Amino acid sequence: MKKLLLLLMMGIFGLGCSQQAPKVLKTGFSMEALQQKLQDEDGKTITVQQILDQHKGKVVVLDFWAGWCRDCLKALPKAEELEKNNPDVDFVFLSLERSKEGFDKSLERFHMKDKTNYWFASGWKNDFNNYIDLNWIPRYMVIDQQSGIAKYYAISPEDPDIQSTIDRLSK
């Protein structure tokens, strides 16, 4: 009986802590979200709007991750495969490291220095992450050529909707 109760409690706890897809899948960003500031590897401040403007006209995959995130590290090889299979797509990595030092160390440790990386110096809770209902990482979003959200919610680079969205936008 104790084992059954323990299994039941573990199941309830697991469901309570699991990632849940947002009820509303957004197709664009709010002005507040677009003004959210991040830092690049050199510590220079940039807004989400400026990042999107740099990639306007291209399909973009936003990859939310952190070096302390076990699920992110497990997904890294598949994310790299997705990137290699889509050379015409821009991949932008948004780090949720807890410090600039952690951001720098993770970029080095996981061989990310040659990629486009930004860090939320403001932490997890900010206007952008709140707007997109960021409740877990890794998280992937596909942005269309006009900076609209084409795929709002994916938790794995193996989600077939990511590739089908890229294919649809690339036609």
Side-chain angles (χ1 to χ4, degrees):
M1 185 64 141
K2 286 183 182 180
K3 286 183 182 179
L4 181 60
L5 183 59
L6 180 62
L7 286 173
L8 181 63
M9 295 298 285
M10 286 175 46
I12 292 170
F13 179 74
L15 288 174
C17 294
S18 66
Q19 183 172 184
Q20 293 182 5
K23 292 182 183 0
V24 176
L25 303 180
K26 298 171 181 160
T27 58
F29 298 106
S30 70
M31 290 305 298
E32 294 83 10
L34 291 171
Q35 294 311 307
Q36 179 60 52
K37 294 179 181 172
L38 293 94
Q39 287 184 11
D40 66 13
E41 292 178 55
D42 298 323
K44 293 180 186 164
T45 300
I46 187 168
T47 65
V48 171
Q49 180 71 64
Q50 291 169 316
I51 293 169
L52 294 176
D53 288 348
Q54 290 175 356
H55 299 277
K56 200 156 214 140
K58 300 277 290 197
V59 175
V60 177
V61 172
L62 299 180
D63 182 333
F64 296 80
W65 78 291
W68 50 261
C69 168
R70 179 178 286 176
D71 292 339
C72 299
L73 300 180
K74 280 192 221 175
L76 201 53
K78 292 297 182 181
E80 289 173 351
E81 186 177 316
L82 181 68
E83 187 176 7
K84 285 179 188 164
N85 291 339
N86 294 284
D88 295 330
V89 173
D90 289 353
F91 284 75
V92 176
F93 297 86
L94 304 177
S95 174
L96 290 147
E97 291 295 340
R98 295 179 179 114
S99 68
K100 176 71 164 93
E101 295 78 24
F103 175 55
D104 293 337
K105 286 179 184 176
S106 287
L107 295 181
E108 191 70 40
R109 181 175 178 202
F110 302 109
H111 312 288
M112 302 282 288
K113 302 258 322 149
D114 63 334
K115 301 180 184 302
T116 304
N117 294 287
Y118 299 98
W119 172 60
F120 287 103
S122 59
W124 186 293
K125 294 292 181 188
N126 58 58
D127 288 337
F128 185 76
N129 293 343
N130 292 341
Y131 182 77
I132 64 161
D133 306 304
L134 187 68
N135 59 2
W136 195 275
I137 54 175
R139 166 94 176 263
Y140 304 86
M141 296 176 71
V142 180
I143 309 302
D144 67 23
Q145 295 90 332
Q146 293 77 40
S147 301
I149 302 170
K151 172 67 179 163
Y152 183 65
Y153 187 82
I155 60 171
S156 167
E158 296 178 285
D159 183 328
D161 285 346
I162 294 175
Q163 188 61 58
S164 64
T165 301
I166 290 170
D167 293 344
R168 179 177 48 81
L169 293 172
S170 299
K171 290 182 180 180

